[in-house]
Amino acid sequence: CKLIQDGVVAILGPKSPSSSSLVQSTCHAKEIPHLQINWEYRFLPDTFTVNVYPHAPILGRAYLDLLLTKKWKTFTVIYEENEGLVRLQDLLKAPSYQDVKVVLHQLTPGQSYKKLLKDIGKQGETNIVLNVPIGKVPLVLREAQDVGMMTAYHNYIITSLDLHTITLDEFQHGTTNISGFRLVDPSRRSVKMMVNDRIFDKLRYGHQPESGRLLKTDTALIYDAVTLFSRALHDLDLSHAINIQNLSCENREYWSQGNSIISYMKVLSVEGLTGNIQLGENGVRTNFSLDLIELKHDGFKKAASWNPEDGIVFTRNYTATYNQEIKQSLRNQTLRVTTII
């Protein structure tokens, strides 16, 4: 209320679900564009709210396509928060598509990953879907290694879109398959320019830049949300002047130009750091593409791309590289082959 009293043209965020719904309600009443940049499991379509984060049901379909491509017959989901299951609801529907067995394990606060992983290993499970905060992924994999759950027979899908931003050097030369999706492609020219600008700004003010040259998903989405909004503001300002209006939560007065801006944002198509930004009539982002990345000897490499229309499409050299890696892994190995006469 204090912000809109001073005069604003849009509200970005917040990330907290409880606060976000309150802001959404206020923006609706005052007809001020509300921009969201995070996954919202309780997202309710609203006339004045748009969300540049990939729509949860569409994102869930990407993970389902990955599982069907890998032809897993059984898999175990490790999660911490109940909301995480909503993110994976399409994945949990896998048994209705194929004869697949799904087991869920929730990690309670304070519980050891090692004990849970050991129990999963005793059940003979080798396929793990890891839905935990990205910062905990190295710890989980380290403890999995301690209990013998990081062999050539084990596979891990990490659900965080920030998988490419963490360092897993200690597992690069292993044989375990670790994969996941990313929304931000570090090789995209706009992403490279953004990262270089941030490093330059840090150095210019005498600060040490963060380790690594990778952009986190939420940072890129903030930039993209502002880019989309500024494009709409610029285009509309060419036809008629945009005037900032001081409003009050104490009366029914609203911003007369907010509806035009939010409606125009929903028909715009803008190229951002996370690719093409295009929203539907309900303000959600359903048309987006992801990169499937896998951990190799020299770090994460793109194996395929995914979009709602084509599903998973592997890169041209993926098969050749995969076959070469199999040959490499078999070199100097003794294989025992048995049969029954």
Side-chain angles (χ1 to χ4, degrees):
C1 288
K2 178 68 171 64
L3 283 171
I4 64 176
Q5 189 176 341
D6 294 338
V8 294
V9 290
I11 300 289
L12 178 66
K15 294 190 71 173
S16 166
S18 55
S19 301
S20 183
S21 58
L22 180 59
V23 171
Q24 182 178 352
S25 176
T26 306
C27 287
H28 179 94
K30 297 300 167 185
E31 298 195 7
I32 296 173
H34 177 215
L35 319 179
Q36 288 187 326
I37 46 89
N38 56 296
W39 179 78
E40 182 60 82
Y41 77 97
R42 291 184 296 189
F43 179 78
L44 298 174
D46 185 87
T47 310
F48 294 94
T49 299
V50 297
N51 195 340
V52 296
Y53 193 94
H55 194 35
I58 310 298
L59 190 59
R61 196 197 308 168
Y63 289 108
L64 176 61
D65 286 349
L66 177 57
L67 182 137
L68 296 177
T69 300
K70 289 179 175 288
K71 298 179 180 178
W72 286 0
K73 294 302 179 185
T74 67
F75 68 94
T76 294
V77 177
I78 299 177
Y79 68 102
E80 286 195 346
E81 299 177 354
N82 293 327
E83 290 82 359
L85 291 184
V86 182
R87 186 194 297 259
L88 301 175
Q89 58 182 320
D90 280 82
L91 197 64
L92 302 180
K93 296 176 185 175
S96 62
Y97 294 92
Q98 289 188 4
D99 184 20
V100 178
K101 178 186 175 184
V102 183
V103 178
L104 303 176
H105 282 287
Q106 183 173 18
L107 190 74
T108 55
Q111 183 181 349
S112 169
Y113 285 105
K114 193 175 292 186
K115 181 183 183 302
L116 176 62
L117 290 162
K118 197 170 184 178
D119 292 341
I120 294 173
K122 287 179 180 178
Q123 296 165 8
E125 184 61 84
T126 57
N127 301 320
I128 311 292
V129 175
L130 204 53
N131 187 40
V132 299
I134 190 62
K136 294 184 178 180
V137 170
L139 172 64
V140 177
L141 296 180
R142 208 172 292 126
E143 296 198 345
Q145 193 171 46
D146 291 342
V147 296
M149 291 281 287
M150 290 289 286
T151 70
Y153 299 101
H154 290 89
N155 304 281
Y156 289 83
I157 292 178
I158 315 298
T159 60
S160 171
L161 295 178
D162 278 328
L163 176 61
H164 65 289
T165 65
I166 61 174
T167 303
L168 297 178
D169 295 349
E170 56 194 300
F171 307 109
Q172 285 181 193
H173 299 285
T175 52
T176 307
N177 182 274
I178 301 172
S179 59
F181 287 114
R182 71 183 179 198
L183 186 61
V184 180
D185 181 0
S187 65
R188 188 178 288 125
R189 185 172 178 271
S190 58
V191 175
K192 287 182 177 179
M193 291 176 62
M194 167 60 73
V195 171
N196 288 335
D197 285 346
R198 292 180 69 197
I199 292 175
F200 177 76
D201 284 342
K202 288 277 187 181
L203 294 173
R204 184 173 60 175
Y205 292 106
H207 300 297
Q208 201 63 26
E210 301 94 340
S211 58
R213 300 172 61 86
L214 298 169
L215 203 61
K216 289 187 176 180
T217 304
D218 57 355
T219 305
L221 288 171
I222 291 173
Y223 180 91
D224 286 356
V226 176
T227 299
L228 181 67
F229 177 76
S230 63
R231 169 72 181 277
L233 206 62
H234 176 268
D235 289 358
L236 290 174
D237 192 50
L238 294 176
S239 57
H240 57 276
I242 302 294
N243 300 311
I244 300 177
Q245 192 172 342
N246 299 333
L247 300 170
S248 171
C249 288
E250 304 302 322
N251 56 45
R252 295 186 179 182
E253 192 179 9
Y254 59 88
W255 190 31
S256 58
Q257 295 173 307
N259 189 38
S260 300
I261 296 174
I262 204 75
S263 298
Y264 189 61
M265 285 180 69
K266 293 177 182 178
V267 298
L268 269 179
S269 179
V270 176
E271 192 67 24
L273 298 177
T274 59
N276 181 52
I277 310 163
Q278 197 173 355
L279 306 173
E281 291 182 3
N282 56 359
V284 298
R285 185 177 180 180
T286 56
N287 185 17
F288 58 91
S289 61
L290 302 169
D291 288 340
L292 172 63
I293 56 175
E294 294 182 349
L295 186 64
K296 302 297 181 184
H297 295 305
D298 50 351
F300 284 107
K301 297 296 177 184
K302 179 179 176 179
S305 59
W306 180 92
N307 63 69
E309 187 175 342
D310 302 317
I312 293 179
V313 180
F314 285 93
T315 57
R316 194 176 304 174
N317 63 343
Y318 176 78
T319 305
T321 305
Y322 185 68
N323 290 336
Q324 185 61 36
E325 287 176 352
I326 291 177
K327 290 178 182 178
Q328 185 69 30
S329 65
L330 291 176
R331 185 168 295 168
N332 297 327
Q333 297 290 326
T334 299
L335 304 180
R336 180 175 295 157
V337 182
T338 63
T339 187
I340 297 176
I341 299 176

